[in-house]
Amino acid sequence: AQSVAQPEDQVNVAEGNPLTVKCTYSVSGNPYLFWYVQYPNRGLQFLLKYITGDNLVKGSYGFEAEFNKSQTSFHLKKPSALVSDSALYFCAVKRLGNEKLTFGTGTRLTIIP
Amino acid sequence: DGGITQSPKYLFRKEGQNVTLSCEQNLNHDAMYWYRQDPGQGLRLIYYSQIVNDFQKGDIAEGYSVSREKKESFPLTVTSAQKNPTAFYLCASSQTMNYGYTFGSGTRLTVV
């Protein structure tokens, strides 16, 4: 079985401050981890992924995520938040050999001007 | 441009009716997926297909049906057996197991 937890339904950050959106996962074997962003009434857009290699992954729009195997976490980060970063963010996991992607329940990020 | 096209964007259904949501991709992806999104519940997998003429049930397949007659197309039918069909439906595709998904822009279905 595979699962993802996003412990915060809502995260509020002041513009210009660093932001973190948390994600922990559970999967047997090696995980493939993903972050997606969703704007209102739109589909999900890919931000970044971890497959193997460097634990710090850089993605679109200045976002990055750190894979921590011991803590089974894959938190999304950005050094300086923009108002345009306000959206719904989803973490997802699948294990090697499994085609199905399991999503978390999402975290709504609001950047306050 | 390559991508996934979902239609219609908005769909209204009367109780007891079947409706079909369209999903077409020109990315030459082998695998296609249907997810349902409800507020606070994230995305739940309805059906997926890894190859033409083959598909598998996901976590919430009851009341839904699909077909995969062409690589490019994966339509979803919401039948009258689905008791609570009002939701946002997302179609996705992927190239290989090492990649994530590409999503369509979604169809919002409302029962009236």
Side-chain angles (χ1 to χ4, degrees), chain A residues 14-55:
Chain A
E15 186 179 19
N17 282 4
L19 69 87
T20 298
V21 183
K22 295 179 181 177
C23 170
T24 59
Y25 67 90
S26 175
V27 68
S28 57
N30 294 325
Y32 289 359
L33 294 155
F34 302 82
W35 275 103
Y36 288 86
V37 61
Q38 185 181 35
Y39 298 98
N41 293 312
R42 301 296 300 275
L44 276 65
Q45 296 177 27
F46 171 78
L47 277 180
L48 51 79
K49 67 181 179 185
Y50 172 83
I51 303 297
T52 187
D54 194 349
N55 289 345

Side-chain angles (χ1 to χ4, degrees), chain B residues 5 22 26 32 36 41 55 63 67 72 81 84 89 95 97:
Chain B
T5 301
S22 172
N26 60 4
M32 297 186 74
R36 170 179 171 143
Q41 295 196 48
F55 47 84
S67 63
E72 305 79 22
N84 185 23
Y89 290 87
Q95 175 66 9
M97 292 183 186

Side-chain angles (χ1 to χ4, degrees), chain A residues 32 34 36 38 41-46 49 51 88 90 94 96-106, chain B residues 9-10 31 33 35 37 40-43 45 48 50 88 90 94 96-101 103-105 108:
Chain A
Y32 289 359
F34 302 82
Y36 288 86
Q38 185 181 35
N41 293 312
R42 301 296 300 275
L44 276 65
Q45 296 177 27
F46 171 78
K49 67 181 179 185
I51 303 297
L88 187 58
F90 288 97
K94 63 180 178 180
L96 177 65
N98 187 354
E99 189 59 34
K100 292 192 295 181
L101 200 56
T102 298
F103 289 83
T105 53
Chain B
K9 191 172 179 65
Y10 298 96
Y33 312 82
Y35 283 88
Q37 184 177 14
Q41 295 196 48
L43 277 68
L45 182 64
Y48 66 104
Q50 294 179 277
F88 191 52
L90 287 161
S94 68
T96 71
M97 292 183 186
N98 285 351
Y99 287 83
Y101 297 174
F103 282 86
S105 57
R108 186 166 297 281

Side-chain angles (χ1 to χ4, degrees), chain A:
Chain A
Q2 53 190 41
S3 65
V4 173
Q6 293 183 242
E8 301 158 318
D9 292 335
Q10 173 84 39
V11 171
N12 297 325
V13 176
E15 186 179 19
N17 282 4
L19 69 87
T20 298
V21 183
K22 295 179 181 177
C23 170
T24 59
Y25 67 90
S26 175
V27 68
S28 57
N30 294 325
Y32 289 359
L33 294 155
F34 302 82
W35 275 103
Y36 288 86
V37 61
Q38 185 181 35
Y39 298 98
N41 293 312
R42 301 296 300 275
L44 276 65
Q45 296 177 27
F46 171 78
L47 277 180
L48 51 79
K49 67 181 179 185
Y50 172 83
I51 303 297
T52 187
D54 194 349
N55 289 345
L56 184 63
V57 179
K58 294 188 182 297
S60 305
Y61 312 119
F63 284 94
E64 58 188 28
E66 186 167 11
F67 171 63
N68 187 317
K69 188 173 184 178
S70 62
Q71 297 185 4
T72 61
S73 67
F74 190 57
H75 301 330
L76 181 70
K77 300 182 179 184
K78 187 173 183 181
S80 178
L82 301 173
V83 172
S84 58
D85 293 330
S86 298
L88 187 58
Y89 290 81
F90 288 97
C91 182
V93 68
K94 63 180 178 180
R95 63 172 173 79
L96 177 65
N98 187 354
E99 189 59 34
K100 292 192 295 181
L101 200 56
T102 298
F103 289 83
T105 53
T107 298
R108 186 164 301 281
L109 176 65
T110 300
I111 307 303
I112 303 166

